[in-house]
Amino acid sequence: MSACIIVSPVEASAEAELAARLHVVDSDQPQVSVLDLGVTRGDGIFEVLGVINGKPQAVDAHLRRLGVSAAMLDLPKLDLEAIRAAIYQVVELAEKHDEFSVKVIVTRGIEGSGVATAWVLAFKAPDDFAAERAEGVKVVLLDRGYPHDIAARAPWLLAGAKTLSYAVNKAVLREAARRGADDVVFTSSDGYLLEGPSASLILKFGNKIWTPATAQGILPGTTQGAAFEYFADAGFATAQVLLRTEQLWDADAAWLTSSGRMLVPICEVDGRPIPVDHALTEAGNAALLARTN
Ligand code: PLP
């Protein structure tokens, strides 16, 4: 069983006790209705936080992004403090590991009810993150099919919202496996580097550390943000920029970053090796894993 809390996620009257809005449930038992729009249409949003040595990471940044996703989907205004309380409570209840994750899910709720559903769940990912950080991952470049300015051009496509509709993000991993790779870097249809299906992309060119600009309809990565703080403190010049696909070949190091994985070096792109900076990867991951919030 994993620790799980159902939370009523929208702002309640001032006198409503926070504790009364959090319900610890048995994650082995069914808790979500078959009529819930999160289940029937993938109509909802989520966040995954890393928990290191019992401390959930970048909670403010994750809550901020959850609020942005909610607004993009026209979900009701969320009570982020109730969700924050549920995150800390679930971490307390969770089986202790050095590293584990907490998932926050908010759906549009049961069709016609107008009441959002939300739950917060602690889980231990099966992936071997330590091995990925040490050995790196092979990626393939896959076209996402949209131009890089899709977010401004067609905001109804919800590019850049962290929605529950991740079937495509999983399908591309199966395509990567068919091509003998571990992961994917999405490109825009007009030739720009974007992000992974569950990770941000960071490139190093000498003293410059760059990540694709989020205006291209990609997620602002909380781990990329924390990694940029590390890189800036270490004397690198960091920036969000537009990066042409070919620039991945010229980088002197590249990483995928996400809340569970931290900095994972990319060692191969479409079957061609690219350089890995093991020392910088180790130092960056040491800093990320030493965070206390
Ligand atoms: N981009 C996408 C599409 C993601 O799904 C994720 C995380 O799951 C990220 C980037 C990285 O975000 P974070 O570092 O906040 O986990």
Side-chain angles (χ1 to χ4, degrees):
M1 184 178 116
S2 317
C4 183
I5 295 177
I6 307 276
V7 49
S8 49
V10 293
E11 278 171 354
S13 60
E15 64 274 13
E17 282 285 324
L18 189 58
R21 301 172 55 205
L22 310 184
H23 301 282
V24 178
V25 295
D26 181 347
S27 65
D28 287 342
Q29 295 303 313
Q31 302 292 349
V32 179
S33 165
V34 294
L35 300 175
D36 195 291
L37 288 164
V39 178
T40 58
R41 294 202 181 135
D43 193 355
I45 56 176
F46 76 107
E47 283 293 323
V48 177
L49 295 84
V51 183
I52 306 167
N53 299 321
K55 305 264 193 279
Q57 301 296 301
V59 178
D60 287 343
H62 281 287
L63 288 175
R64 205 176 310 123
R65 194 168 67 186
L66 189 72
V68 171
S69 295
M72 289 174 77
L73 269 74
D74 304 308
L75 284 166
K77 190 169 183 332
L78 300 180
D79 182 347
L80 297 177
E81 290 316 308
I83 294 171
R84 182 195 301 274
I87 291 169
Y88 282 100
Q89 191 175 340
V90 101
V91 167
E92 280 302 309
L93 296 173
E95 207 178 296
K96 300 294 173 247
H97 300 277
D98 291 348
E99 292 180 42
F100 62 96
S101 301
V102 167
K103 189 176 279 200
V104 178
I105 293 178
V106 180
T107 82
R108 202 175 297 282
I110 292 173
E111 190 151 16
S113 72
V115 180
T117 307
W119 65 98
V120 179
L121 177 78
F123 66 100
K124 174 92 180 106
D127 314 63
D128 187 350
F129 295 137
E132 284 194 345
R133 287 172 201 144
E135 291 156 26
V137 288
K138 300 174 182 171
V139 304
V140 287
L141 297 171
L142 294 184
D143 185 351
R144 196 174 237 172
Y146 297 135
H148 78 285
D149 58 352
I150 192 66
R153 223 191 244 221
W156 47 87
L157 292 179
L158 304 177
K162 197 162 167 67
T163 78
L164 288 175
S165 312
Y166 259 44
V168 168
N169 301 44
K170 291 295 175 188
V172 294
L173 290 180
R174 296 191 294 275
E175 179 59 23
R178 282 191 283 272
R179 299 184 188 195
D182 313 302
D183 214 321
V184 171
V185 171
F186 281 124
T187 57
S188 67
S189 57
D190 50 354
Y192 291 93
L193 294 168
L194 298 175
E195 62 183 343
S198 63
S200 313
L201 175 68
I202 296 179
L203 301 186
K204 175 178 178 292
F205 298 92
N207 187 42
K208 298 187 184 75
I209 298 279
W210 286 343
T211 193
T214 53
Q216 295 169 104
I218 61 179
L219 279 190
T222 64
T223 319
Q224 171 268 314
F228 266 34
E229 282 177 28
Y230 163 76
F231 285 124
D233 287 349
F236 291 94
T238 60
Q240 283 197 25
V241 294
L242 292 185
L243 287 159
R244 299 291 308 172
T245 305
E246 318 78 76
Q247 287 180 271
L248 189 45
W249 307 109
D250 302 333
D252 40 50
W255 296 273
L256 290 176
T257 63
S258 69
S259 296
R261 296 159 100 188
M262 310 297 150
L263 279 166
V264 169
I266 297 176
C267 60
E268 198 179 287
V269 182
D270 284 347
R272 275 166 53 193
I274 65 162
V276 172
D277 189 331
H278 287 289
L280 190 56
T281 304
E282 244 177 69
N285 276 327
L288 291 173
L289 290 166
R291 285 178 295 164
T292 54
N293 60 52

Coordinates of all heavy atoms in Angstrom, one line a residue, residues 3-12 16-26 31-32 36 45-47 49 63 66 76-90 93 102-110 114-122:
A3 N 1.1 5.5 0.6 CA 0.3 6.6 1.4 C -0.5 7.4 0.4 O 0.0 7.8 -0.7 CB 1.3 7.5 2.1
C4 N -1.7 7.6 0.7 CA -2.6 8.3 -0.2 C -3.6 9.2 0.5 O -4.2 8.7 1.5 CB -3.3 7.3 -1.1 SG -4.4 8.2 -2.4
I5 N -3.8 10.4 0.1 CA -4.8 11.3 0.8 C -5.7 11.9 -0.3 O -5.2 12.4 -1.3 CB -4.0 12.4 1.5 CG1 -3.2 11.9 2.6 CG2 -5.0 13.5 2.0 CD1 -2.4 12.9 3.4
I6 N -7.0 11.8 -0.1 CA -7.9 12.5 -1.0 C -8.1 13.9 -0.4 O -8.2 14.0 0.8 CB -9.3 11.8 -0.9 CG1 -9.2 10.3 -1.3 CG2 -10.3 12.5 -1.8 CD1 -9.2 9.9 -2.7
V7 N -8.0 14.9 -1.2 CA -8.1 16.3 -0.7 C -9.2 17.0 -1.5 O -9.3 16.8 -2.7 CB -6.7 17.0 -0.8 CG1 -6.1 16.8 -2.1 CG2 -6.8 18.4 -0.4
S8 N -10.0 17.8 -0.8 CA -11.0 18.6 -1.6 C -10.2 19.9 -2.0 O -9.7 20.7 -1.1 CB -12.2 19.0 -0.8 OG -11.9 19.4 0.5
P9 N -9.9 20.1 -3.3 CA -8.9 21.0 -3.7 C -9.3 22.4 -4.0 O -8.5 23.2 -4.4 CB -8.5 20.3 -5.1 CG -9.7 19.7 -5.6 CD -10.6 19.3 -4.4
V10 N -10.6 22.7 -3.8 CA -11.0 24.1 -4.1 C -11.2 24.9 -2.8 O -11.5 24.3 -1.8 CB -12.2 24.2 -5.0 CG1 -11.9 23.7 -6.4 CG2 -13.4 23.5 -4.4
E11 N -11.1 26.2 -3.0 CA -11.1 27.0 -1.8 C -12.5 26.9 -1.1 O -13.5 27.0 -1.7 CB -10.8 28.5 -2.1 CG -9.3 28.7 -2.2 CD -8.9 30.1 -2.7 OE1 -9.8 30.8 -3.2 OE2 -7.7 30.3 -2.8
A12 N -12.4 26.6 0.2 CA -13.6 26.4 1.0 C -13.8 27.7 1.9 O -13.0 28.6 1.9 CB -13.5 25.2 1.9
A16 N -13.8 26.4 7.4 CA -13.7 25.0 7.1 C -12.3 24.5 7.6 O -11.3 25.1 7.1 CB -13.9 24.7 5.6
E17 N -12.3 23.6 8.5 CA -11.0 23.1 9.0 C -10.2 22.4 7.9 O -10.7 21.5 7.2 CB -11.3 22.1 10.1 CG -11.7 22.6 11.4 CD -10.5 23.2 12.2 OE1 -9.4 22.7 12.1 OE2 -10.7 24.3 12.8
L18 N -8.9 22.8 7.8 CA -8.1 22.2 6.8 C -8.1 20.6 7.0 O -8.3 19.9 6.0 CB -6.7 22.7 6.9 CG -5.7 22.4 5.8 CD1 -6.2 22.8 4.5 CD2 -4.3 23.0 6.1
A19 N -7.9 20.2 8.2 CA -7.8 18.7 8.5 C -9.0 18.0 8.0 O -8.9 16.9 7.5 CB -7.5 18.5 9.9
A20 N -10.2 18.6 8.1 CA -11.4 18.0 7.7 C -11.5 17.8 6.2 O -12.3 17.1 5.7 CB -12.6 18.8 8.2
R21 N -10.6 18.5 5.4 CA -10.6 18.4 4.0 C -9.6 17.4 3.4 O -9.5 17.2 2.2 CB -10.4 19.8 3.4 CG -11.5 20.7 3.9 CD -11.2 22.1 3.5 NE -11.0 22.2 2.1 CZ -10.3 23.1 1.5 NH1 -9.7 24.1 2.2 NH2 -10.2 23.2 0.2
L22 N -8.8 16.7 4.4 CA -7.8 15.7 3.9 C -8.3 14.4 4.5 O -8.5 14.3 5.7 CB -6.4 16.1 4.5 CG -5.9 17.5 4.3 CD1 -4.5 17.6 4.8 CD2 -6.0 17.9 2.8
H23 N -8.4 13.4 3.6 CA -8.8 12.1 4.1 C -7.8 11.0 3.7 O -7.6 10.8 2.5 CB -10.2 11.7 3.5 CG -11.2 12.7 3.8 ND1 -11.9 12.7 5.1 CD2 -11.7 13.8 3.1 CE1 -12.7 13.8 5.1 NE2 -12.7 14.4 3.9
V24 N -7.2 10.4 4.7 CA -6.2 9.3 4.4 C -7.0 8.1 3.9 O -8.0 7.8 4.6 CB -5.4 9.0 5.6 CG1 -4.5 7.9 5.4 CG2 -4.7 10.2 6.1
V25 N -6.6 7.5 2.8 CA -7.4 6.4 2.3 C -6.4 5.2 2.0 O -5.2 5.4 2.0 CB -8.1 6.7 1.0 CG1 -9.2 7.7 1.3 CG2 -7.2 7.2 -0.1
D26 N -7.0 4.1 1.8 CA -6.2 2.9 1.4 C -6.0 2.9 -0.1 O -6.9 2.7 -0.8 CB -7.0 1.6 1.9 CG -6.2 0.4 1.6 OD1 -5.2 0.4 0.9 OD2 -6.7 -0.7 2.1
Q31 N -10.7 4.2 -5.2 CA -11.1 5.4 -4.6 C -11.7 6.4 -5.6 O -12.3 7.3 -5.2 CB -9.8 6.1 -4.0 CG -9.1 5.2 -3.0 CD -9.9 5.0 -1.7 OE1 -10.9 5.6 -1.4 NE2 -9.4 4.1 -0.9
V32 N -11.5 6.2 -6.9 CA -11.9 7.2 -7.9 C -13.1 6.6 -8.6 O -13.1 5.4 -9.0 CB -10.8 7.5 -8.8 CG1 -11.2 8.5 -9.9 CG2 -9.6 8.1 -8.1
D36 N -15.4 9.6 -13.3 CA -14.5 10.8 -13.1 C -13.9 11.1 -14.5 O -13.3 10.3 -15.2 CB -13.4 10.5 -12.1 CG -12.7 11.8 -11.6 OD1 -12.0 12.4 -12.4 OD2 -13.0 12.1 -10.4
I45 N -5.0 17.5 -14.3 CA -3.6 18.0 -14.3 C -2.9 17.2 -13.2 O -3.5 16.6 -12.3 CB -3.6 19.5 -14.0 CG1 -4.3 19.8 -12.7 CG2 -4.1 20.2 -15.2 CD1 -4.2 21.3 -12.3
F46 N -1.6 17.2 -13.2 CA -0.8 16.6 -12.1 C 0.6 17.2 -11.9 O 1.0 18.0 -12.8 CB -0.7 15.1 -12.4 CG 0.3 14.7 -13.4 CD1 1.5 14.1 -13.1 CD2 0.1 14.9 -14.8 CE1 2.5 13.7 -14.0 CE2 1.0 14.6 -15.7 CZ 2.2 14.0 -15.4
E47 N 1.2 16.8 -10.8 CA 2.5 17.2 -10.5 C 3.2 16.0 -9.9 O 2.5 15.2 -9.2 CB 2.6 18.4 -9.5 CG 2.3 19.7 -10.1 CD 3.3 20.2 -11.1 OE1 4.5 20.0 -10.9 OE2 3.0 20.8 -12.1
L49 N 6.5 15.4 -7.4 CA 7.6 16.0 -6.6 C 8.6 14.9 -6.2 O 8.2 13.8 -5.8 CB 7.1 16.6 -5.3 CG 6.1 17.8 -5.4 CD1 4.7 17.4 -5.6 CD2 6.2 18.7 -4.2
L63 N 3.6 23.8 -6.8 CA 2.2 24.3 -6.5 C 1.9 25.5 -7.5 O 0.8 25.6 -8.0 CB 2.1 24.8 -5.1 CG 2.1 23.7 -4.0 CD1 2.1 24.3 -2.6 CD2 0.9 22.8 -4.2
L66 N 1.1 23.9 -10.7 CA -0.2 23.3 -10.7 C -1.3 24.3 -10.9 O -2.3 24.1 -11.6 CB -0.4 22.5 -9.3 CG -1.6 21.7 -9.2 CD1 -1.4 20.4 -10.0 CD2 -1.8 21.3 -7.7
P76 N -11.6 24.9 -11.5 CA -11.8 25.9 -10.5 C -10.5 26.3 -9.8 O -9.6 25.6 -9.8 CB -12.7 25.1 -9.5 CG -13.1 23.9 -10.1 CD -12.2 23.7 -11.3
K77 N -10.5 27.5 -9.2 CA -9.3 28.0 -8.5 C -9.0 27.1 -7.4 O -9.8 26.7 -6.5 CB -9.6 29.4 -8.0 CG -8.3 30.1 -7.4 CD -8.6 31.6 -7.2 CE -7.5 32.4 -6.7 NZ -6.4 31.8 -6.0
L78 N -7.7 26.6 -7.3 CA -7.4 25.6 -6.4 C -6.9 26.2 -5.0 O -6.4 27.3 -5.0 CB -6.2 24.7 -6.9 CG -6.4 24.0 -8.2 CD1 -5.2 23.2 -8.6 CD2 -7.6 23.0 -8.1
D79 N -7.2 25.4 -4.0 CA -6.7 25.8 -2.7 C -5.3 25.2 -2.5 O -5.2 24.0 -2.1 CB -7.6 25.4 -1.6 CG -7.1 25.8 -0.2 OD1 -6.0 26.3 -0.1 OD2 -7.9 25.7 0.8
L80 N -4.3 25.9 -2.9 CA -3.0 25.3 -2.9 C -2.4 25.0 -1.5 O -1.6 24.1 -1.4 CB -2.0 26.3 -3.7 CG -2.4 26.5 -5.2 CD1 -1.4 27.5 -5.9 CD2 -2.4 25.1 -6.0
E81 N -3.0 25.7 -0.5 CA -2.5 25.5 0.8 C -3.0 24.1 1.3 O -2.3 23.4 2.1 CB -2.9 26.6 1.8 CG -2.1 27.9 1.5 CD -0.6 27.6 1.3 OE1 0.0 26.9 2.1 OE2 -0.1 28.1 0.3
A82 N -4.2 23.7 0.9 CA -4.8 22.4 1.3 C -3.9 21.3 0.6 O -3.6 20.3 1.2 CB -6.2 22.3 0.9
I83 N -3.5 21.6 -0.6 CA -2.7 20.6 -1.4 C -1.3 20.5 -0.8 O -0.8 19.4 -0.6 CB -2.7 21.0 -2.9 CG1 -4.1 20.8 -3.4 CG2 -1.7 20.1 -3.6 CD1 -4.3 21.3 -4.8
R84 N -0.8 21.7 -0.4 CA 0.5 21.7 0.3 C 0.5 20.8 1.6 O 1.3 20.0 1.8 CB 0.9 23.1 0.7 CG 2.3 23.2 1.3 CD 2.5 24.6 2.0 NE 2.4 25.7 1.0 CZ 3.4 26.2 0.3 NH1 4.6 25.6 0.4 NH2 3.1 27.2 -0.6
A85 N -0.6 21.0 2.4 CA -0.8 20.3 3.6 C -0.8 18.8 3.3 O -0.2 17.9 4.0 CB -2.0 20.7 4.4
A86 N -1.5 18.4 2.3 CA -1.7 17.0 1.9 C -0.3 16.4 1.5 O 0.0 15.3 1.8 CB -2.7 16.8 0.8
I87 N 0.5 17.2 0.8 CA 1.9 16.8 0.4 C 2.7 16.4 1.6 O 3.3 15.3 1.7 CB 2.6 17.8 -0.5 CG1 1.9 18.0 -1.8 CG2 4.1 17.5 -0.7 CD1 2.3 19.2 -2.6
Y88 N 2.7 17.3 2.6 CA 3.5 17.1 3.8 C 3.0 15.9 4.6 O 3.8 15.1 5.1 CB 3.7 18.4 4.6 CG 4.7 19.3 4.0 CD1 4.3 20.4 3.2 CD2 6.0 19.1 4.1 CE1 5.2 21.3 2.6 CE2 7.0 20.0 3.6 CZ 6.6 21.0 2.8 OH 7.5 21.9 2.2
Q89 N 1.7 15.8 4.7 CA 1.1 14.7 5.4 C 1.4 13.4 4.8 O 1.7 12.4 5.5 CB -0.4 14.9 5.6 CG -1.0 13.9 6.6 CD -2.5 14.2 6.9 OE1 -3.0 15.2 6.6 NE2 -3.2 13.2 7.4
V90 N 1.3 13.3 3.5 CA 1.6 12.0 2.8 C 3.1 11.6 2.9 O 3.4 10.5 3.0 CB 1.1 12.2 1.3 CG1 2.2 12.4 0.3 CG2 0.3 10.9 0.9
L93 N 3.4 10.0 6.2 CA 2.8 8.6 6.2 C 3.6 7.6 5.4 O 3.4 6.4 5.6 CB 1.4 8.7 5.7 CG 0.4 9.6 6.5 CD1 -0.9 9.7 5.8 CD2 0.2 9.0 7.9
V102 N 6.2 12.0 -4.8 CA 4.8 12.3 -4.5 C 4.1 12.8 -5.7 O 4.6 13.7 -6.4 CB 4.7 13.3 -3.3 CG1 3.3 13.9 -3.1 CG2 5.2 12.7 -2.0
K103 N 2.9 12.2 -6.0 CA 2.2 12.7 -7.2 C 0.9 13.4 -6.7 O 0.2 12.9 -5.7 CB 1.8 11.5 -8.0 CG 1.1 11.8 -9.3 CD 0.9 10.6 -10.2 CE 2.1 10.1 -10.9 NZ 1.8 9.2 -12.0
V104 N 0.6 14.5 -7.2 CA -0.6 15.3 -6.9 C -1.5 15.2 -8.2 O -1.0 15.6 -9.3 CB -0.3 16.8 -6.6 CG1 -1.6 17.6 -6.4 CG2 0.7 16.9 -5.5
I105 N -2.7 14.8 -8.1 CA -3.6 14.7 -9.2 C -4.8 15.5 -8.9 O -5.4 15.4 -7.9 CB -3.9 13.2 -9.5 CG1 -2.7 12.5 -10.0 CG2 -5.0 13.1 -10.5 CD1 -2.8 11.1 -10.3
V106 N -5.2 16.3 -9.9 CA -6.5 17.1 -9.8 C -7.3 16.8 -11.1 O -6.7 17.0 -12.2 CB -6.3 18.6 -9.6 CG1 -7.6 19.3 -9.5 CG2 -5.4 18.9 -8.4
T107 N -8.5 16.4 -11.0 CA -9.3 16.1 -12.2 C -10.5 17.1 -12.2 O -10.9 17.6 -11.1 CB -9.8 14.7 -12.3 OG1 -11.0 14.6 -11.5 CG2 -8.8 13.7 -11.8
R108 N -11.2 17.1 -13.3 CA -12.4 17.9 -13.4 C -13.6 17.3 -12.6 O -14.6 17.9 -12.4 CB -12.8 18.1 -14.8 CG -13.7 19.4 -15.0 CD -14.0 19.6 -16.5 NE -12.8 19.9 -17.3 CZ -12.1 21.1 -17.3 NH1 -12.6 22.1 -16.6 NH2 -11.0 21.2 -18.0
G109 N -13.4 16.1 -12.1 CA -14.3 15.4 -11.2 C -15.4 14.7 -12.0 O -15.3 14.5 -13.2
I110 N -16.4 14.2 -11.3 CA -17.4 13.4 -12.0 C -18.2 14.3 -12.9 O -18.6 15.4 -12.6 CB -18.4 12.8 -10.9 CG1 -17.5 11.8 -10.1 CG2 -19.6 12.2 -11.5 CD1 -18.2 11.2 -8.9
G114 N -19.4 19.4 -11.5 CA -18.7 20.6 -11.2 C -17.8 20.6 -10.0 O -17.3 21.7 -9.6
V115 N -17.5 19.5 -9.5 CA -16.7 19.4 -8.3 C -15.4 18.7 -8.6 O -15.4 17.5 -9.1 CB -17.4 18.7 -7.1 CG1 -16.5 18.6 -5.9 CG2 -18.7 19.4 -6.8
A116 N -14.3 19.4 -8.5 CA -13.0 18.7 -8.8 C -12.6 17.6 -7.9 O -13.0 17.7 -6.7 CB -11.9 19.8 -8.8
T117 N -11.9 16.6 -8.4 CA -11.4 15.5 -7.5 C -9.9 15.7 -7.4 O -9.3 16.1 -8.4 CB -11.6 14.2 -8.2 OG1 -13.0 14.0 -8.6 CG2 -11.3 13.0 -7.3
A118 N -9.3 15.4 -6.2 CA -7.9 15.5 -6.1 C -7.4 14.5 -5.1 O -8.1 14.1 -4.1 CB -7.5 16.9 -5.7
W119 N -6.2 14.0 -5.4 CA -5.5 13.1 -4.4 C -4.0 13.3 -4.5 O -3.5 13.7 -5.5 CB -6.0 11.7 -4.5 CG -5.7 10.9 -5.7 CD1 -4.6 10.1 -5.9 CD2 -6.4 10.9 -7.0 NE1 -4.6 9.5 -7.2 CE2 -5.7 10.0 -7.9 CE3 -7.5 11.6 -7.5 CZ2 -6.1 9.8 -9.2 CZ3 -7.9 11.3 -8.8 CH2 -7.3 10.4 -9.6
V120 N -3.4 12.9 -3.4 CA -1.9 13.0 -3.3 C -1.4 11.7 -2.9 O -1.9 11.1 -1.9 CB -1.6 14.1 -2.3 CG1 -0.1 14.3 -2.1 CG2 -2.2 15.5 -2.7
L121 N -0.4 11.2 -3.6 CA 0.0 9.8 -3.4 C 1.5 9.7 -3.4 O 2.2 10.3 -4.2 CB -0.5 9.0 -4.7 CG -0.1 7.5 -4.8 CD1 -1.0 6.7 -3.9 CD2 -0.3 7.1 -6.2
A122 N 2.1 9.0 -2.4 CA 3.5 8.8 -2.3 C 3.9 7.4 -3.0 O 3.1 6.5 -2.8 CB 4.0 8.7 -0.9

